[in-house]
Structure formats: structure tokens, C-alpha cells
């Protein structure tokens, strides 16, 4: 993953990080999920850049790919995905065997692992909540990438065990009613929605000059 701390994209994620910190005065936000309404909206790019931003701040960060159907964190960070979260959830290995320390200081990653035949059952077994709780003492921030909300129940299950959820929306791609339904599904499991990241928003010239760091492209 190429990192340029002075780029508009990096600045944009520092702003997202700052906004999260300001929103957490009532809620402790140590474990956060990032999801989207549907596939292809940029949730994995968002959570990966957010993880790097927190790590650059000096936070001990664990990034977990819990999208067990279409994992892609390994591609962004150029990691192998032969073992990962699915193996931990199936009691096939310990967490210590799959946590990867990256070349980015303070950032560790657990890839999704082999795609299982029963992702929803694995995620809802209670094992994920158990192991995330056990990692809280080792990391300042735990970020979990999840499946899109409207596609399957996986994202809702993951969101329900987190302190907060960020919803990524691609501008102009998703119908308003789908965003509303995603919000309702998250609220149904009492997930704390931190906010929405608008992705791939086209700005006019004046907006671009002033606010171009709020948007990013995959």
C-alpha cells in the first residue's frame, strides 16, 4: 500500500479520524466496523486508509477482514490469504498464527482466510465477539471490514458487536431508499452509527479547491 502523508487523500482520512474522535465523547469507540449498502462502494479502501491513519497517529491498530464472502484487504496490503479469520472462527488455528505485522508501524492485520461454506453461521457463533474482546487489551483501535448491509446478514452481525459503525456510500450509485433500509437494519440491532463517508463525490471547481480532501477514489 503506497502512503503519501501529504496527499489530499491522506488528509481526508485524517479528517475522518478526527471527526470520529470528536463523536466519541459519549461512546467509547475502540472497536469499529466499516460497511456499505452494496458492493463496490469503497468500504475496504476506506477502512484500510483509516487503519493507516490511526497507526500513523501512534495508535496500536488491528485491522480485521470479516468480509468472508469477497475479502480484499489482502490485495490492498499485498498479503497472502491462505489462513485468516475464517480459520480462527472454525477453531482451526489460534489468533497468534494469523495476525500479520505490517511494514507500517503499529498496524497489524488479520485477513479473511479461505472463504467458508457458512460465513453467516461462523460470524454469528459468538466466537468473533469472544476473540475481539480478548484483543482489546492489546490494541487501541480494532477496525473490522464487513459485508454490505443489503447483501447478506453478515454485516449486521458484525456491527452488533462493535462500539460504532461507519457506513460508506458511493455518491450517485445507491438509491436513497436503500441507504435508509441499511440504516434501519443497523438500528434494529442497536448498532451505533458514527456517520457516513461519501465516496467518489464529484465536486464543482470551487468545492474541489476547498474540500477535495473529503473524497477519495479506488
Amino acid at each position: 500500500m503506497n502512503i503519501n502523508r501529504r496527499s489530499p487523500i491522506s488528509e481526508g482520512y485524517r479528517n475522518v479520524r478526527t471527526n470520529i474522535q470528536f463523536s466519541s465523547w459519549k461512546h467509547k469507540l475502540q472497536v469499529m466496523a466499516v460497511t456499505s449498502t452494496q458492493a463496490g462502494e469503497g468500504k475496504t479502501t476506506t477502512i484500510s486508509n483509516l487503519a493507516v491513519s490511526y497507526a500513523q497517529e501512534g495508535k496500536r491498530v488491528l485491522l480485521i477482514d470479516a468480509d468472508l464472502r469477497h475479502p480484499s484487504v489482502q490485495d490492498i496490503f499485498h498479503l497472502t490469504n491462505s489462513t485468516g479469520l475464517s480459520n480462527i472462527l472454525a477453531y482451526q488455528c489460534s489468533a497468534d498464527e494469523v495476525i500479520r505485522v505490517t511494514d507500517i508501524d503499529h498496524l497489524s492485520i488479520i485477513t479473511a482466510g479461505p472463504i467458508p461454506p457458512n460465513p453467516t453461521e461462523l460470524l454469528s457463533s459468538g466466537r468473533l465477539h469472544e476473540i475481539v474482546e480478548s484483543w482489546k487489551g492489546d490494541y487501541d483501535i480494532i477496525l473490522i471490514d464487513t459485508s454490505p448491509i443489503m447483501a447478506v446478514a453478515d454485516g449486521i452481525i458484525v456491527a452488533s458487536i462493535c462500539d460504532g459503525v461507519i457506513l460508506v456510500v458511493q455518491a450517485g450509485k445507491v438509491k436513497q431508499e436503500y441507504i435508509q433500509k441499511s440504516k434501519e437494519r443497523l438500528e434494529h440491532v442497536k448498532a451505533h452509527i458514527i456517520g457516513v463517508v461519501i465516496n467518489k463525490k464529484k465536486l464543482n471547481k470551487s468545492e474541489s479547491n476547498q474540500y477535495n480532501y473529503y473524497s477519495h477514489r479506488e
Side-chain angles (χ1 to χ4, degrees), residues 74-108:
Q74 76 279 354
D75 297 328
I76 291 178
F77 290 93
H78 309 293
L79 301 171
T80 61
N81 193 34
S82 55
T83 57
L85 181 63
S86 61
N87 300 103
I88 302 173
L89 297 179
Y91 294 93
Q92 295 171 343
C93 65
S94 67
D96 293 339
E97 295 177 71
V98 298
I99 293 179
R100 284 107 185 243
V101 178
T102 69
D103 57 2
I104 300 170
D105 291 342
H106 312 299
L107 176 60
S108 299

Side-chain angles (χ1 to χ4, degrees), residues 8 10-20 53 213-214:
S10 295
E11 180 64 28
Y13 285 108
R14 284 194 290 272
N15 277 279
V16 172
R17 183 191 71 202
T18 300
N19 288 336
I20 292 171
S53 181
Y213 51 80
Y214 285 118

